[in-house]
Amino acid sequence: MTEKKQRRVIDGVLLLHKPLGCSSTQALGRAKWLLGAVKGGHTGTLDPLADGLLPLCFGHATKLAHDLLDADKTYDAFIVLGQSTTTGDAEGEVNFSSSDVINREQWDAILPQFMGEISQVPPMYSALKKDGKPLYEYARVGVEIEREARQVSILDMQTRSFDYPFVTLSVTCSKGTYIRTLAEDIGKALGVGAHLRGLTRTAVGTLKLDDAMTLEALEALPESERAAVLMPLDALMQNTPVVHLDDATAARFVQGQRLKLSVADAESVRVYWQQVLIGLASVTQNTLSPSKVLMTALPLK
């Protein structure tokens, strides 16, 4: 039986190194329990068969998580050439093999075809839903569902190692990109097939795996010190412009009022009062319009 723990309101962001074999929801649940947090959420799922960076948001940070859902992601993809599988990864059965050997020059020559805007058909073994049921549930019983191709962006690809049939490829891509599909499509273009044998997410936007910690490391800390490892709310938006308000204008902002300010137009800005992040806003023609308010009132003395 899981030990009951007193829950409390905690605000901040935990950069978690999610382990293999653990779902994003399971990782979040464990972190919430270790922190004793009332409210938490993750910023987009990371497949159980992948490890790497999973930013977790707690308290007010959950209101800002959407910005990370749209952020570019970077992965280290561990690819096997010469074989494709039913799932696109090492869990599936081999459904195509080739005895041809691809050299580094052939590999390098094919990659530019997959840079920039490309079209992908989402894999059957994915969490996309049809009639309320994930596609992987249909796939497990042998049912193939027609999927529409979608446009995604491959912003950068760097080959970390090449020792046929094993390749390590670093990929920076837009949201919605399936790396297993990218590997399969490269294998098809080479004529030898390919699948993933592993996947590690190394960055989400400006957040890096190097700054993440494991659940084991979090659990090893004294309970009173765990919340101190959380990053501040604005860690999610380091590239977002900043606006500072005085007492009077901040009081109006947290009530949801628009403000006339001499500020450059911006789709999104961070709004601060006394070095405290109080919300997000858009700016159009010197009008600051609240989009997310993190306080209902200012703690004025």
Side-chain angles (χ1 to χ4, degrees):
M1 181 179 295
T2 302
E3 175 188 350
K4 287 191 175 181
K5 181 177 292 196
Q6 185 68 34
R7 301 276 179 163
R8 57 197 174 112
V9 176
I10 294 177
D11 294 321
V13 180
L14 175 66
L15 299 188
L16 181 70
H17 187 155
K18 188 194 79 68
L20 291 171
C22 174
S23 72
S24 297
T25 300
Q26 289 170 331
L28 171 63
R30 182 62 179 166
K32 278 180 66 177
W33 186 85
L34 289 171
L35 291 166
V38 172
K39 184 178 182 182
H42 57 68
T43 54
T45 59
L46 187 57
D47 193 281
L49 296 178
D51 73 320
L53 181 60
L54 180 66
L56 301 178
C57 296
F58 298 93
H60 284 313
T62 58
K63 298 178 182 179
L64 310 176
H66 185 270
D67 296 291
L68 279 190
L69 291 174
D70 291 338
D72 298 331
K73 314 291 194 302
T74 302
Y75 299 88
D76 279 346
F78 305 97
I79 300 170
V80 179
L81 296 173
Q83 288 184 335
S84 61
T85 71
T86 53
T87 59
D89 58 31
E91 291 289 297
E93 297 179 2
V94 174
N95 58 8
F96 174 81
S97 294
S98 173
S99 59
D100 294 340
V101 175
I102 299 300
N103 60 37
R104 177 65 185 265
E105 288 71 25
Q106 291 171 295
W107 169 263
D108 289 341
I110 208 74
L111 290 187
Q113 297 181 24
F114 296 91
M115 284 293 297
E117 294 285 326
I118 64 170
S119 180
Q120 277 193 342
V121 176
M124 277 299 299
Y125 280 87
S126 69
L128 289 179
K129 292 186 176 181
K130 168 72 173 177
D131 298 331
K133 190 163 68 170
L135 291 182
Y136 62 75
E137 291 191 13
Y138 293 99
R140 286 171 180 167
V141 294
V143 176
E144 182 85 9
I145 301 294
E146 185 175 350
R147 290 97 64 204
E148 291 187 4
R150 54 172 63 179
Q151 294 297 117
V152 298
S153 295
I154 306 300
L155 306 172
D156 188 47
M157 285 193 291
Q158 299 292 330
T159 303
R160 300 298 187 200
S161 65
F162 186 97
D163 184 16
Y164 191 88
F166 304 112
V167 182
T168 301
L169 182 68
S170 176
V171 181
T172 299
C173 56
S174 65
K175 71 170 184 177
T177 303
Y178 287 94
I179 304 299
R180 74 174 69 190
T181 300
L182 176 65
E184 287 181 310
D185 289 346
I186 292 174
K188 288 177 184 176
L190 289 167
V192 296
H195 67 273
L196 285 183
R197 62 185 177 95
L199 185 67
T200 298
R201 187 155 69 190
T202 58
V204 176
T206 60
L207 305 178
K208 307 297 182 184
L209 179 60
D210 289 344
D211 299 319
M213 71 185 313
T214 64
L215 289 170
E216 291 77 13
L218 182 62
E219 186 172 14
L221 291 174
E223 194 167 334
S224 60
E225 298 178 14
R226 290 172 185 168
V229 305
L230 297 184
M231 301 176 69
L233 304 183
D234 51 7
L236 303 178
M237 303 166 294
Q238 290 302 300
N239 293 330
T240 305
V242 172
V243 172
H244 291 277
L245 302 180
D246 58 24
D247 290 356
T249 52
R252 292 172 56 196
F253 178 87
V254 297
Q255 293 172 4
Q257 296 181 27
R258 295 183 176 181
L259 305 173
K260 281 293 184 181
L261 297 173
S262 182
V263 180
D265 285 4
E267 185 176 336
S268 182
V269 296
R270 292 178 275 165
V271 181
Y272 288 82
W273 167 75
Q274 294 187 0
Q275 309 306 313
V276 177
L277 180 67
I278 60 174
L280 301 179
S282 60
V283 183
T284 306
Q285 297 180 340
N286 294 325
T287 299
L288 184 79
S289 302
S291 54
K292 293 177 183 175
V293 177
L294 303 180
M295 287 186 176
T296 56
L298 299 180
L300 296 170
K301 295 183 179 179

